[in-house]
Amino acid sequence: MNALAATNRNFKLAARLLGLDSKLEKSLLIPFREIKVVDSFTWMFVLMLLCSSVLILLTYLLFNKKMKVECTIPKDDGTLASFVGFRVQHDNARGPMKGGIRYHPEVDPDEVNALAQLMTWKTAVANIPYGGAKGGIGCDPGDLSISELERLTRVFTQKIHDLIGVHTDVPAPDMGTNPQTMAWILDEYSKFHGYSPAVVTGKPIDLGGSLGRDAATGRGVLFATEALLNEHGKTIAGQRFVVQGFGNVGSWAAQLISENGGKIVAASDITGAVKNSKGLDIPCLLKHVKENRGVKGFSGGDKIDPNTILVEDCDILIPAALGGVINRENANDIKAKFIIEAANHPTDPEADEILAKKGVVILPDIYANSGGVTVSYFEWVQNIQGFLWDEEKVNNELKTYMTNGFKGVKEMCKTHNCDLRMGAFTLGVNRVARATVLRGWEA
């Protein structure tokens, strides 16, 4: 099941538990806007066919909503290259829309739509005043130079600048993008609207970024795991963890868990996987990854097949890479007692059912990995106030939000007699539905 179908399925189950009006349910499911714009060559062709100014206007309105963002840039060798971009704005009932921009060769419109919807529920579960959005450009950032990435980012920003904004839609980094990407978006946007540091989050500190943002999603995973284990009378110390995906989120989660007494027995990334039943030396692994750009070749453990990392023996499994990695093909072989979804949509619905029968407890993505967007909210607040928080305040506030978020999820579990995933979805959907109705929604 693809990401959009799975997200829609979870939403509909939550809506049924909440007893939502069918028309309200349909309204909440449909994106507010999908930003897609035609390129200039298509426009020339269309305008040649039309002579009426009214028809031209109608064609503009139609194509502005239906066609794709075409970003054509000159490459360093003088040739032209075109890339397709997307921005889906799902819902703004609770505040400005919020979500990352990813650069990846397989940016899929359905996945972008699903992730935008997930951001709506995630921000509601975290109880921060945002809606959901997501965007991306179909490109391989590894094949582009720094100057080409900058030109691509600026052209993309020129196409969407009037549809994002401090109180409209606030982008952030995602797969294949970083603080420098956000700096380029900020600069290009400011050419049209004046200096606006709050238009993006995940920026460099020198341009208004927040202290603690880099570690935020991983630290949120730590706090979420602590809350779950506390519910089961356990602590981090002594638990055996497997981390699938040793990028920003996975590496920070591993480092912080290790510092709190957890034992990381296996870790993997795109380059390879390694395990050590006595526990990996995380500071040494982090140093190796930095120097060698990957886990591959680390001497502090045994090399294993990355495809088997999810079924390694452990107490707690943390999928922190791509979606759909836990499915009906491998769910029966998973040995973990708890799964903490640090990635977006790592578990297919079919796997959910198999794991539930095995008694595996899954902490869902829309709560477990909400630390990043929560600290992005803190950054936005700091930019609007013009007042920088120290890192201790950021981390303390994050812990408060993550702790309160878990309490809210558990309350919904008790109210609706459901698992943690449906507890999180009913919490998020209910908050968005209430805001929608209070703002004057009519059937």
Side-chain angles (χ1 to χ4, degrees):
M1 189 178 295
N2 69 29
L4 183 59
T7 304
N8 288 346
R9 174 184 180 275
N10 289 327
F11 166 79
K12 288 175 181 177
L13 288 172
R16 196 173 305 146
L17 284 173
L18 292 166
L20 292 187
D21 175 87
S22 61
K23 292 180 181 177
L24 177 58
E25 177 184 334
K26 185 176 181 181
S27 174
L28 292 176
L29 200 56
I30 298 171
F32 171 76
R33 179 189 287 126
E34 295 185 45
I35 300 172
K36 300 174 182 179
V37 186
V38 293
D39 60 68
S40 57
F41 295 105
T42 306
W43 269 113
M44 289 173 63
F45 177 72
V46 171
L47 293 177
M48 285 171 63
L49 296 177
L50 299 172
C51 58
S52 164
S53 60
V54 175
L55 285 176
I56 292 174
L57 176 59
L58 288 174
T59 304
Y60 167 80
L61 293 173
L62 175 65
F63 274 72
N64 195 47
K65 291 182 179 179
K66 297 299 182 183
M67 301 302 287
K68 299 174 181 178
V69 175
E70 190 82 19
C71 300
T72 301
I73 62 165
K75 297 194 73 177
D76 293 343
D77 62 6
T79 61
L80 292 179
S82 290
F83 304 90
V84 175
F86 306 88
R87 186 70 178 171
V88 176
Q89 298 172 328
H90 180 257
D91 190 275
N92 63 357
R94 300 182 71 253
M97 291 162 285
K98 187 85 184 75
I101 292 177
R102 58 176 51 184
Y103 289 0
H104 192 273
E106 296 179 8
V107 170
D108 175 66
D110 276 352
E111 185 181 29
V112 171
N113 205 320
L115 293 173
Q117 186 188 147
L118 277 175
M119 282 300 296
T120 296
W121 318 134
K122 184 185 297 185
T123 53
V125 169
N127 207 18
I128 54 179
Y130 285 141
K134 206 74 173 183
I137 298 176
C139 70
D140 187 344
D143 291 342
L144 299 174
S145 69
I146 296 297
S147 59
E148 288 169 343
L149 284 170
E150 179 177 354
R151 287 195 288 273
L152 178 59
T153 302
R154 290 184 182 277
V155 169
F156 184 57
T157 306
Q158 291 165 13
K159 300 274 187 173
I160 68 170
H161 75 88
D162 57 342
L163 295 170
I164 62 174
V166 175
H167 300 291
T168 307
D169 179 0
V170 183
D174 201 295
M175 188 187 306
T177 57
N178 55 33
Q180 180 60 71
T181 316
M182 298 304 105
W184 292 328
I185 294 175
L186 163 61
D187 183 69
E188 195 65 28
Y189 179 87
S190 296
K191 292 176 182 178
F192 296 94
H193 303 277
Y195 185 60
S196 309
V199 73
V200 289
T201 59
K203 302 180 295 295
I205 300 296
D206 291 338
L207 289 176
S210 177
L211 297 170
R213 176 63 185 88
D214 190 45
T217 308
R219 192 178 298 278
V221 168
L222 170 72
F223 294 149
T225 306
E226 286 179 332
L228 177 63
L229 292 178
N230 183 60
E231 182 77 15
H232 290 264
K234 301 176 184 294
T235 63
I236 294 280
Q239 301 294 323
R240 297 170 304 137
F241 292 79
V242 164
V243 179
Q244 184 252 351
F246 208 72
N248 174 271
V249 177
S251 61
W252 271 111
Q255 178 180 334
L256 295 166
I257 286 167
S258 179
E259 289 173 359
N260 281 269
K263 186 188 294 186
I264 312 297
V265 297
S268 71
D269 64 10
I270 196 170
T271 68
V274 62
K275 77 171 182 177
N276 186 330
S277 58
K278 296 179 180 179
L280 296 166
D281 185 328
I282 296 303
C284 287
L285 180 57
L286 289 167
K287 183 172 183 289
H288 173 86
V289 168
K290 184 176 182 181
E291 292 173 352
N292 298 277
R293 302 184 70 181
V295 166
K296 184 179 180 181
F298 181 61
S299 61
D302 299 321
K303 176 184 175 182
I304 60 173
D305 183 350
N307 294 321
T308 68
I309 188 86
L310 295 167
V311 299
E312 286 293 325
D313 187 28
C314 64
D315 300 311
I316 301 167
L317 172 63
I318 302 180
L322 296 174
V325 294
I326 301 175
N327 49 55
R328 63 185 176 187
E329 308 297 330
N330 59 15
N332 275 314
D333 299 322
I334 286 175
K335 302 174 182 68
K337 303 175 187 70
F338 300 93
I339 296 176
I340 314 295
E341 295 186 334
N344 286 317
H345 179 59
T347 311
D348 278 351
E350 296 94 334
D352 253 344
E353 294 176 7
I354 295 169
L355 293 166
K357 290 176 182 176
K358 291 176 62 177
V360 178
V361 177
I362 302 175
L363 199 58
D365 50 359
I366 61 171
Y367 164 69
N369 67 25
S370 62
V373 71
T374 301
V375 174
S376 280
Y377 164 60
F378 298 162
E379 179 179 333
W380 182 72
V381 168
Q382 292 171 73
N383 293 158
I384 291 171
Q385 291 178 332
F387 184 80
L388 182 66
W389 298 0
D390 61 42
E391 191 165 355
E392 183 179 7
K393 178 177 173 64
V394 171
N395 293 339
N396 287 340
E397 289 290 337
L398 175 59
K399 185 167 188 176
T400 298
Y401 271 78
M402 295 301 297
T403 302
N404 290 340
F406 185 77
K407 289 177 181 176
V409 170
K410 286 298 295 182
E411 286 174 7
M412 295 303 276
C413 289
K414 292 174 183 176
T415 300
H416 299 287
N417 189 28
C418 60
D419 62 15
L420 289 168
R421 189 179 306 283
M422 276 303 104
F425 265 89
T426 52
L427 178 63
V429 172
N430 191 47
R431 282 176 172 164
V432 176
R434 286 209 316 260
T436 301
V437 171
L438 286 169
R439 290 185 62 167
W441 178 87
E442 294 181 3

